Amino acid sequence: MISSQALHLGMFMLPWSLLILLSGLVGVWFIGKYFKQRYQWDDSAWQCYKDSLWTAIWVGLLAARVVFVLINADLYLAHPVDILKIQDKGFNLYAGIIAGSGWFIWKNHLLKVPVLVSSFLLFITIQFVGINLLNHWNAQQHYPDLAFNDLKLQPQSLTQFMGKPTVVNLWASWCPPCHREMPVLYQAQQDYPDVQFVMLNQGETPEAIVSYLHRYQLNFNNVLFDPYGEMPQHMNMYGLPSTLFFNAQGQLVERHLGELSQAMLKQYLQKITHPSNQ
């Protein structure tokens, strides 16, 4: 099954971002294979090329994470354990590409310039095209024409939130990562008064929702419930928690599957509140 977040193969989920990265690496591998035959590399040169290709992944990922953490140092220093939570997807793309490419070029500096230039350009092209296709896919999606009851059992249409940047969080009280990110979202609601936060519960009764929110003193402005999972089906978001980020025009800008950290949420909010920074 194909969703906007990943390719689903049975119980396995392959995020598109990972598939784009792997596609770039496979492309570079084939470029190397071509030049190996053309220039008749010896076994040691080819082995170095292959090894540096895979080690460049780890160098790039490490650099991407470190730079992202440094950019958001104030948030991570307040909760140092979040630095290790790489599942928040907090990576700086440009830092990762620069570091990984630099490592690869340095390890293969004895090869001919056309080899390195071709490898680099192919990788960058695949990343650029893949990322832009994903962004275009998201840009075609807007608020779905759906309505959900609030805690007073009054129907509320999602389209009513158009006009201001909006975050729609899909959650359930029995979901541990949902519970962990609740304080992050609640604090953001207070820090970003110009952003609407819609907490769309999945499959629970109003009584269970009220009890949970009261127990943890979470006073969200907009709490709705989706008893039949219509929203994740419509938006192809499978798994909890899931978060959708819409700009003021009702256009989907970003989506996040999994627990949100403060730093990652801040980055998403900047995209929907300051479109020129995207």
Side-chain angles (χ1 to χ4, degrees):
M1 179 177 60
I2 294 177
S3 74
S4 51
Q5 278 284 295
L7 174 64
H8 300 262
L9 302 173
M11 61 181 295
F12 298 102
M13 182 184 74
L14 299 175
W16 291 119
S17 55
L18 176 61
L19 290 175
I20 293 170
L21 174 63
L22 292 177
S23 296
L25 295 172
V26 169
V28 174
W29 186 88
F30 277 110
I31 282 284
K33 194 74 172 176
Y34 166 77
F35 282 114
K36 175 182 181 294
Q37 297 176 347
R38 179 174 177 179
Y39 294 128
Q40 297 183 339
W41 294 350
D42 58 29
D43 290 342
S44 61
W46 174 234
Q47 190 63 47
C48 178
Y49 185 93
K50 292 189 297 181
D51 290 347
S52 60
L53 180 61
W54 299 113
T55 54
I57 300 175
W58 300 109
V59 171
L61 288 174
L62 178 61
R65 181 62 175 178
V66 169
V67 170
F68 184 84
V69 169
L70 291 176
I71 290 174
N72 299 281
D74 56 331
L75 298 176
Y76 279 109
L77 288 176
H79 302 88
V81 70
D82 286 349
I83 295 175
L84 302 177
K85 294 181 178 179
I86 60 174
Q87 66 269 26
D88 71 355
K89 304 174 187 175
F91 295 90
N92 186 282
L93 175 64
Y94 300 109
I97 289 177
I98 291 171
S101 299
W103 170 268
F104 180 79
I105 291 171
W106 176 67
K107 293 294 289 184
N108 295 282
H109 65 279
L110 296 178
L111 297 178
K112 294 181 181 294
V113 172
V115 177
L116 299 178
V117 172
S118 300
S119 299
F120 177 76
L121 290 179
L122 178 62
F123 181 79
I124 293 298
T125 299
I126 292 175
Q127 302 309 300
F128 178 81
V129 171
I131 291 171
N132 276 277
L133 285 175
L134 277 181
N135 291 338
H136 179 72
W137 189 353
N138 278 339
Q140 302 309 304
Q141 295 186 283
H142 295 72
Y143 281 118
D145 187 18
L146 297 173
F148 302 99
N149 284 348
D150 59 21
L151 296 179
K152 296 180 181 179
L153 302 183
Q154 297 300 310
Q156 304 291 336
S157 173
L158 289 181
T159 55
Q160 71 176 292
F161 296 107
M162 288 186 65
K164 294 178 67 175
T166 303
V167 177
V168 180
N169 180 257
L170 312 183
W171 67 284
S173 63
W174 49 261
C175 162
C178 299
H179 176 68
R180 290 194 298 267
E181 75 176 7
M182 277 288 172
V184 174
L185 291 163
Y186 185 57
Q187 184 61 49
Q189 177 183 262
Q190 300 171 71
D191 295 340
Y192 295 85
D194 293 329
V195 177
Q196 302 170 113
F197 288 82
V198 180
M199 308 304 294
L200 185 56
N201 182 272
Q202 298 297 298
E204 295 184 286
T205 64
E207 293 76 17
I209 298 169
V210 170
S211 175
Y212 173 82
L213 296 176
H214 179 73
R215 186 187 321 140
Y216 295 102
Q217 300 181 341
L218 298 168
N219 186 26
F220 286 105
N221 296 331
N222 302 289
V223 180
L224 309 177
F225 61 98
D226 177 9
Y228 306 112
E230 293 179 79
M231 187 67 165
Q233 291 179 46
H234 192 93
M235 301 300 294
N236 288 319
M237 294 292 286
Y238 301 98
L240 296 178
S242 294
T243 312
L244 302 162
F245 298 85
F246 297 91
N247 61 20
Q249 292 72 46
Q251 189 178 51
L252 181 65
V253 175
E254 285 285 358
R255 58 177 78 220
H256 184 96
L257 177 60
E259 181 181 348
L260 280 164
S261 66
Q262 283 185 301
M264 204 62 202
L265 178 57
K266 177 183 176 182
Q267 179 170 289
Y268 288 139
L269 291 175
Q270 287 175 341
K271 288 186 177 183
I272 62 174
T273 56
H274 301 91
S276 59
N277 293 336
Q278 292 185 49

